[in-house]
């Protein structure tokens, strides 16, 4: 993609309304634009990152055996009245009346909707276990939306829902999603810590939230130092016993957010207890028959008797992850994207656009990068060198490749690793090999 043809409305100064790093950098990098309080348009650069994260989340859900569907953003209030949550949920739920005076709502979550789908079609235990998920926009009418997409009203979320015949089966489903989340966050280039969590308005008796460590995080997190040394599971599939062992290992170390931490009962030695800030990016729940009982979601069991299914739900904040990754990975010059989610692989800089030799060398190298499968943002504009470097640092692409008159004469490309800042001059062939492997 040529920069001259790309819509990238960057800002030189920090926006006054931005209070945290991710909000500031997303606005400066031209990733988003506010539409109204807590609601944003995603511009091309931000949309690319959003889609990269979404695709990784989708791939790991599919590998874990979940089946993708798509449920509506607007839901009938009657479903929520069945579960008892319509009046209990609070003012965060945006309630709507359509032209036929039917009560509707903009869904903040989908337990009722998916339970209705299940009870309409699944009648036998032979169709279990089942896990349905979608990636859809949600709305929660925050009293005071702030921090950009981190505490917005409209957000993109992956929510999955498991259905099993009994508690034992649903616990396997829960553990399977727990492990899938560890794999997902590792692929996104971040270290997420699972914490025992309050079940909140979702309900249930078992819940974990996944926290990304960041100095600007919203919560204070207390954890055993050895938790960060654990290896992420890598096998494609695990037996129920193996799943339980992995969960036991990751939850065997002390880890709690400030709302669950009790210094009086924490038995971790002072030298082993780490205190950091963290951002919630995922939350999983096991709630048994909370919704199946209220909404009549049952199947015929092996003995022919009707049995209420045991359920769980599993959320990942896809749009929130964009901000969370930035909070955890940035420096004084801008964003530092992990390669897996970066909007482009390489930023190619022509230091002297209009110079025939520079233009020819850049065009040739650009073509070779594209042919080798790299996703490239090519700055062939007439801006000054300092401006070009600053823009590339701001948007945080993993690699920068710079070609100028001196490099053309020497037959070299200057290659910079954005994360480390290391620079090296390489031949065209060596630079190509480094950038595309």
């Amino acid at each position: 993609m040529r920069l001259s043809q790309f819509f990238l409305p960057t800002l030189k100064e920090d926006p006054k309304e931005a209070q945290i790093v991710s909000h500031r950098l997303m606005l400066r990098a031209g990733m988003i634009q506010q539409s109204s309080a807590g609601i944003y348009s995603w511009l091309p650069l931000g949309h690319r990152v959003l889609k990269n994260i979404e695709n990784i989340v989708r791939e790991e859900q599919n590998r874990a055996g979940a089946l993708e569907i798509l449920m509506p953003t607007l839901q009938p209030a009657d479903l929520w009245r069945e579960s008892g949550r319509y009046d209990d949920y609070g003012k965060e739920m945006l309630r709507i009346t359509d032209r036929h005076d039917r009560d509707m709502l903009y869904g903040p979550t989908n337990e009722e909707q998916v339970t209705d789908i299940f009870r309409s079609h699944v009648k036998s235990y032979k169709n279990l276990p089942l896990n349905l998920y979608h990636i859809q926009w949600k709305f929660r009418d925050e009293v005071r939306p702030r921090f950009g997409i981190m505490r917005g009203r409209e957000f993109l979320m992956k929510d999955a829902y498991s259905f099993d015949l009994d508690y034992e089966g649903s616990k396997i489903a829960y553990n399977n999603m727990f492990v899938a989340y560890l794999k997902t966050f590792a692929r996104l280039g971040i270290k997420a810590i699972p914490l025992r969590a309050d079940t909140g308005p979702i309900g249930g008796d078992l819940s974990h939230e996944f926290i990304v460590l960041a100095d600007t995080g919203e919560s204070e997190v207390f954890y055993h130092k050895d938790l960060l040394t654990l290896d992420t599971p890598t096998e494609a599939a695990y037996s129920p016993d193996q799943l339980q062992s992995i969960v036991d290992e990751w939850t065997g170390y002390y880890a709690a957010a400030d709302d669950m931490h009790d210094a009086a009962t924490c038995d971790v030695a002072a030298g082993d207890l780490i205190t950091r800030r963290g951002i919630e990016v995922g939350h999983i729940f096991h709630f048994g028959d909370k919704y199946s009982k209220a909404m009549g979601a049952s199947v015929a069991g092996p003995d022919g008797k009707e049995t209420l299914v045991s359920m769980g739900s599993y959320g990942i904040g896809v749009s929130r992850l964009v901000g969370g990754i930035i909070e955890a990975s940035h420096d004084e010059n801008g964003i530092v994207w992990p390669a897996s989610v970066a909007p482009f692989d390489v930023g190619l800089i022509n230091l002297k656009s209009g110079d025939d030799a520079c233009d020819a060398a850049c065009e040739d190298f650009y073509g070779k990068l594209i042919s080798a499968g790299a996703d490239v943002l090519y700055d062939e504009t007439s801006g000054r060198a300092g401006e070009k470097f600053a823009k590339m640092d701001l948007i945080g692409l993993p690699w920068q490749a710079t070609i100028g008159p001196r490099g053309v004469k020497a037959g070299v490309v200057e290659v910079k690793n954005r994360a480390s800042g290391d620079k090296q001059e390489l031949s065209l062939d060596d630079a190509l090999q480094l950038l595309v492997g």
Side-chain angles (χ1 to χ4, degrees):
M1 173 61 69
R2 298 174 187 275
L3 183 58
S4 63
Q5 299 172 358
F6 192 64
F7 182 53
L8 186 62
T10 57
L11 303 173
K12 292 183 179 180
E13 303 296 331
D14 290 338
K16 293 180 180 179
E17 70 271 24
Q19 298 174 294
I20 62 171
V21 171
S22 59
H23 191 194
R24 182 175 75 246
L25 290 177
M26 290 182 74
L27 289 172
R28 285 196 57 210
M31 296 178 64
I32 55 173
Q33 177 177 308
Q34 181 170 304
S35 174
S36 60
I39 301 176
Y40 292 85
S41 294
W42 289 78
L43 306 184
L45 194 77
H47 189 251
R48 278 174 163 261
V49 176
L50 187 68
K51 285 299 177 181
N52 287 341
I53 293 173
E54 179 183 332
N55 289 338
I56 289 173
V57 170
R58 175 178 288 110
E59 287 170 5
E60 291 303 324
Q61 288 295 288
N62 293 344
R63 288 171 181 165
L67 302 173
E68 186 171 12
I69 60 175
L70 185 61
M71 290 178 277
T73 56
L74 293 180
Q75 302 177 32
D78 285 346
L79 287 178
W80 285 65
R81 289 192 175 105
E82 281 191 64
S83 70
R85 288 206 299 173
Y86 185 71
D87 295 319
D88 294 343
Y89 203 88
K91 292 183 178 181
E92 290 76 24
M93 180 190 289
L94 182 63
R95 294 165 171 83
I96 304 166
T97 301
D98 69 13
R99 67 171 64 194
H100 301 291
D101 290 326
R102 289 176 297 218
D103 292 331
M104 308 288 288
L105 59 98
Y106 194 139
T109 183
N110 282 76
E111 281 80 8
E112 287 81 0
Q113 188 80 63
V114 77
T115 302
D116 182 54
I117 291 172
F118 177 88
R119 70 181 179 182
S120 299
H121 301 284
V122 181
K123 305 300 181 183
S124 170
Y125 78 97
K126 295 180 181 179
N127 299 118
L128 301 178
L130 181 65
N131 190 317
L132 303 174
Y133 81 97
H134 73 160
I135 301 175
Q136 179 61 290
W137 291 95
K138 303 283 193 293
F139 191 91
R140 291 176 189 166
D141 202 5
E142 294 276 357
V143 175
R144 197 160 58 93
R146 59 193 187 280
F147 306 150
I149 62 165
M150 297 294 291
R151 187 67 64 85
R153 293 192 294 165
E154 185 181 55
F155 52 95
L156 186 63
M157 184 175 177
K158 185 285 302 182
D159 40 323
Y161 304 89
S162 62
F163 302 86
D164 289 271
L165 183 62
D166 50 30
Y167 175 82
E168 289 72 20
S170 63
K171 186 66 181 297
I172 294 171
Y174 185 93
N175 290 345
N176 187 42
M177 282 291 104
F178 186 106
V179 173
Y181 274 37
L182 296 177
K183 294 178 180 179
T184 299
F185 295 126
R187 284 190 61 192
L188 293 172
I190 52 180
K191 188 78 170 184
I193 296 177
L195 311 177
R196 188 67 180 261
D198 183 13
T199 57
I202 300 295
D205 57 1
L206 178 61
S207 177
H208 287 89
E209 60 182 347
F210 290 78
I211 295 289
V212 172
L213 297 175
D215 292 338
T216 52
E218 60 199 339
S219 303
E220 193 170 19
V221 180
F222 303 82
Y223 62 93
H224 194 290
K225 62 181 179 63
D226 291 345
L227 186 56
L228 294 182
T229 67
L230 297 180
D231 294 326
T232 301
T234 57
E235 296 297 323
Y238 292 95
S239 69
D241 288 344
Q242 289 172 324
L243 288 172
Q244 187 63 60
S245 294
I246 295 170
V247 173
D248 289 344
E249 180 182 31
W250 280 80
T251 58
Y253 291 97
Y254 184 86
D258 45 17
D259 61 337
M260 300 286 282
H261 175 65
D262 184 351
T265 60
C266 176
D267 58 359
V268 180
D272 293 334
L273 187 65
I274 306 295
T275 303
R276 289 278 308 275
R277 307 294 298 181
I279 300 166
E280 180 187 343
V281 290
H283 208 148
I284 61 177
F285 305 84
H286 175 271
F287 41 71
D289 64 2
K290 173 181 171 65
Y291 297 94
S292 56
K293 184 176 182 179
M295 300 181 68
S298 62
V299 296
D303 57 1
K305 295 181 180 179
E306 286 295 309
T307 303
L308 293 172
V309 292
S310 188
M311 296 174 57
S313 71
Y314 317 91
I316 287 180
V318 177
S319 55
R320 185 177 174 84
L321 269 164
V322 180
I325 291 171
I326 293 173
E327 294 289 336
S329 185
H330 67 273
D331 60 21
E332 66 276 8
N333 296 316
I335 304 165
V336 183
W337 290 117
S340 60
V341 302
F344 296 93
D345 303 319
V346 181
L348 174 60
I349 301 173
N350 183 338
L351 280 183
K352 197 171 183 180
S353 296
D355 179 89
D356 290 343
C358 267
D359 290 348
C362 285
E363 289 291 339
D364 179 67
F365 195 59
Y366 178 53
K368 289 179 178 177
L369 285 169
I370 297 296
S371 296
D375 203 355
V376 185
L377 181 62
Y378 172 30
D379 185 352
E380 85 299 23
T381 64
S382 58
R384 292 179 296 179
E387 294 175 343
K388 294 188 176 193
F389 291 137
K391 182 173 290 187
M392 284 297 179
D393 280 348
L394 173 62
I395 65 176
L397 308 184
W399 293 98
Q400 296 173 18
T402 302
I403 297 177
R406 186 181 64 81
V408 171
K409 291 180 181 179
V412 297
V413 179
E414 182 183 85
V415 177
K416 174 183 173 180
N417 180 284
R418 178 66 181 88
S420 68
D422 293 338
K423 298 178 182 179
Q424 52 186 318
E425 289 189 341
L426 301 171
S427 69
L428 294 174
D429 288 343
D430 287 346
L432 188 66
Q433 179 65 31
L434 175 63
L435 295 173
V436 298

